Amino acid sequence: MENRKVFLNKHTNLLELEEHMYQLVDVDAPNVFRNLFRYDEIPKIAFNDRIVPHNMPDEIWITDTTFRDGQQSRAPYTTEQIVTIYDYLHRLGGPQGKVRQSEFFLYSKKDRDAVYKCLERGYEFPEVTSWIRANKKDFEMVKEIGLKETGILVSCSDYHIFYKLKMTRKEALNHYLSVIRECLDTGVRPRCHLEDITRSDIYGFVIPFCLELMKLMEEYQIPVKIRVCDTMGYGVNFPGAVIPRSIPGIIYGLMTHAGVPSELMEFHGHNDFYKAVNNSTTAWLYGASGVNCSLFGIGERTGNTPLEAMVFEYAQLRGTLDGMDTTVITELAEYYENEIGYHIPSRTPFVGRNFNVTRAGIHADGMLKNEEIYNIFDTDKFLNRPALVSVSNTSGVAGIAYWINAYYKLAAEKQVDKNSRLVQEIKNWVDKEYEDGRVTVLTDSELIVKIESVCSELDITL
């Protein structure tokens, strides 16, 4: 106890006592936390009320896995699609590069062609990085292509170490360190993907492993990044929850006990329990600079943290977008729907067809009076998506006029009002629909067909 150092924490400006140095706990049998993860029961969220402090980094950012984890769960993108999406990500991240990196596979010619074409763009952000198997041949391929960083899988739960790799913890630790050393020998920055961290022994394996990684970083003077992978979505953000499920606890442990700096730590979440976004935000709040995301959450099983969600989480936490162009999100959604053929569920926040459409009659009345009442923010300004009200038997001519003006984004001088012949004709059609027994709201496609028909009859151009 007396030999532990007292030092000044430059982030909190408080004197702190050097923590216990954690060593590898090599065990004969795997610790799979059966008290929390009984396979024949729903996983348990337990608490010990040990609270760790918020520790928001000076700078936070987003990294992208659309072309890696996102591509594992769908038909592969074409080279042209990858390059187009990469261009969109560059625009979305803005001049400060808030979408900091994007990771790629390197195994097929298509993927390598996409990497070369993206590199030819010459963008500083997103930096093109890779994800490879942990072997010398793949490291040389990364170096040959000219990439400065690559992701490497280093699974850290006993589920993976004992059952998948058929190793002991000590054998896994030594194997991983030899692999990372090979990567560093090629001069490439390793990004260590600590798979299944939310079912791992944090203090018996993860922190001792990361301490060794920090020693390698000091030896080689090459940054070693830690990716906190909530592979199964077990992570929770509740204060006082126990590790390994506690995201605050994991981030705190890596920073305080393993000495991993914020700028070298990022969180990678999955959405199996609907917690990917909250857990990603929590990782920012407790010290990780990066959160790893996929466009529209497309990824393994239930998907990854949606990148577009974290753009708006960033703005809410920082009070600014720091140059990110959120209108690109709508362009990406349209590209996925129209060019790639991917269907985005209509109620998906920020990008679904109906995310800012008010359907309830009484709510629609409020929207017509002041759209702030039922719209989350100025969606027209930030997403080029004006708020809409659905058309039903309660809409009236004002509601129909509002729908037409908003849907077709009519300039002020071209907008229709409740006295317009077009609006009157649509109103008569709507009334007839409900007189004939209809009980559901009218869909966009139905309205568009009818409006186009009436415009043709009346020789009106919208």
Side-chain angles (χ1 to χ4, degrees), residues 17 21 29 65 123 132 156 179 186 198 201 217 231 239 244-245 266 289-290 311 324 326 328 371 384 405 407:
L17 187 66
M21 293 296 288
T65 188
Y123 301 146
I132 61 169
C156 60
V179 165
T186 65
T198 46
D201 188 335
M217 180 170 71
T231 307
R245 296 194 69 176
E266 66 180 17
S289 284
V311 169
M324 285 186 281
T326 51
V328 176
E371 73 174 49
N384 283 334
N405 292 328
Y407 186 88

Side-chain angles (χ1 to χ4, degrees), residues 367-428:
M367 278 282 291
L368 293 174
K369 293 172 180 173
N370 186 326
E371 73 174 49
E372 286 188 50
I373 298 173
Y374 287 111
N375 203 27
I376 55 174
F377 50 69
D378 188 344
T379 54
D380 191 18
K381 173 182 177 181
F382 291 107
L383 292 165
N384 283 334
R385 293 279 301 274
L388 292 173
V389 294
S390 60
V391 174
S392 69
N393 57 328
T394 62
S395 298
V397 286
I400 293 169
Y402 181 96
W403 192 96
I404 294 171
N405 292 328
Y407 186 88
Y408 288 97
K409 299 181 181 179
L410 298 180
E413 66 275 8
K414 294 194 68 176
Q415 289 189 354
V416 298
D417 60 30
K418 61 184 181 180
N419 297 314
S420 157
R421 285 191 65 194
L422 171 61
V423 172
Q424 293 293 335
E425 288 293 326
I426 299 299
K427 175 64 165 62
N428 293 337

Side-chain angles (χ1 to χ4, degrees), residues 429-446:
W429 169 69
V430 170
D431 289 344
K432 182 69 166 56
E433 284 286 308
Y434 287 96
E435 286 169 9
D436 290 344
R438 184 180 186 124
V439 294
T440 58
V441 297
L442 289 148
T443 65
D444 291 352
S445 56
E446 287 178 296

Side-chain angles (χ1 to χ4, degrees), residues 65-342:
T65 188
T66 296
F67 310 126
R68 202 273 301 176
D69 208 347
Q71 196 169 213
Q72 290 179 159
S73 65
R74 49 154 289 120
Y77 298 106
T78 67
T79 298
E80 291 70 24
Q81 288 169 344
I82 289 174
V83 175
T84 298
I85 295 167
Y86 179 73
D87 285 338
Y88 279 125
L89 290 171
H90 170 70
R91 288 177 50 213
L92 173 57
Q96 295 187 39
K98 287 302 172 181
V99 180
R100 185 64 54 93
Q101 294 178 312
S102 189
E103 60 186 289
F104 292 72
F105 283 128
L106 301 178
Y107 297 117
S108 72
K109 181 180 184 301
K110 169 186 67 65
D111 287 322
R112 290 193 296 275
D113 287 346
V115 167
Y116 283 121
K117 288 187 177 182
C118 289
L119 288 171
E120 286 171 3
R121 291 293 201 260
Y123 301 146
E124 182 179 5
F125 302 113
E127 178 187 5
V128 175
T129 73
S130 60
W131 187 95
I132 61 169
R133 295 165 299 208
N135 61 53
K136 187 78 170 178
K137 181 180 177 183
D138 283 8
F139 294 141
E140 292 296 343
M141 181 168 58
V142 173
K143 187 174 183 179
E144 180 185 330
I145 292 173
L147 303 183
K148 296 180 174 62
E149 178 177 309
T150 188
I152 304 167
L153 184 63
V154 285
S155 303
C156 60
S157 76
D158 284 356
Y159 287 87
H160 286 252
I161 293 170
F162 281 79
Y163 298 149
K164 182 179 176 183
L165 299 178
K166 305 295 184 182
M167 292 182 178
T168 66
R169 289 183 183 178
K170 187 174 183 179
E171 288 170 340
L173 180 75
N174 290 334
H175 171 64
Y176 293 156
L177 292 175
S178 68
V179 165
I180 301 303
R181 189 176 284 277
E182 283 186 2
C183 181
L184 291 166
D185 283 338
T186 65
V188 174
R189 301 191 309 260
R191 185 180 63 247
C192 302
H193 292 211
L194 273 70
E195 185 179 15
D196 204 25
I197 199 169
T198 46
R199 287 192 298 182
S200 67
D201 188 335
I202 301 300
Y203 289 97
F205 182 81
V206 172
I207 287 174
F209 176 41
C210 289
L211 280 165
E212 295 301 319
L213 291 175
M214 294 301 100
K215 289 177 186 176
L216 283 179
M217 180 170 71
E218 187 175 349
E219 176 185 342
Y220 282 86
Q221 293 298 296
I222 295 173
V224 176
K225 186 176 290 182
I226 305 299
R227 178 175 288 184
V228 177
C229 298
D230 184 17
T231 307
M232 302 295 289
Y234 287 125
V236 297
N237 68 337
F238 310 131
V242 300
I243 56 172
R245 296 194 69 176
S246 169
I247 300 304
I250 291 172
I251 302 298
Y252 176 83
L254 290 173
M255 294 188 69
T256 305
H257 304 313
V260 181
S262 292
E263 63 271 18
L264 294 180
M265 185 165 24
E266 66 180 17
F267 177 78
H268 170 95
H270 281 261
N271 204 37
D272 297 74
F273 291 90
Y274 280 106
K275 291 183 169 65
V277 172
N278 280 342
N279 285 335
S280 297
T281 306
T282 298
W284 270 341
L285 286 171
Y286 285 87
S289 284
V291 293
N292 185 242
C293 310
S294 175
L295 280 170
F296 314 125
I298 301 169
E300 186 82 346
R301 299 185 316 281
T302 59
N304 301 104
T305 304
L307 189 147
E308 66 277 7
M310 297 315 295
V311 169
F312 289 104
E313 290 288 279
Y314 182 103
Q316 291 179 86
L317 288 172
R318 293 304 223 205
T320 173
L321 283 162
D322 279 328
M324 285 186 281
D325 183 356
T326 51
T327 63
V328 176
I329 292 171
T330 299
E331 294 179 42
L332 274 162
E334 292 171 349
Y335 180 76
Y336 267 70
E337 291 265 13
N338 300 330
E339 300 298 327
I340 295 178
Y342 177 77

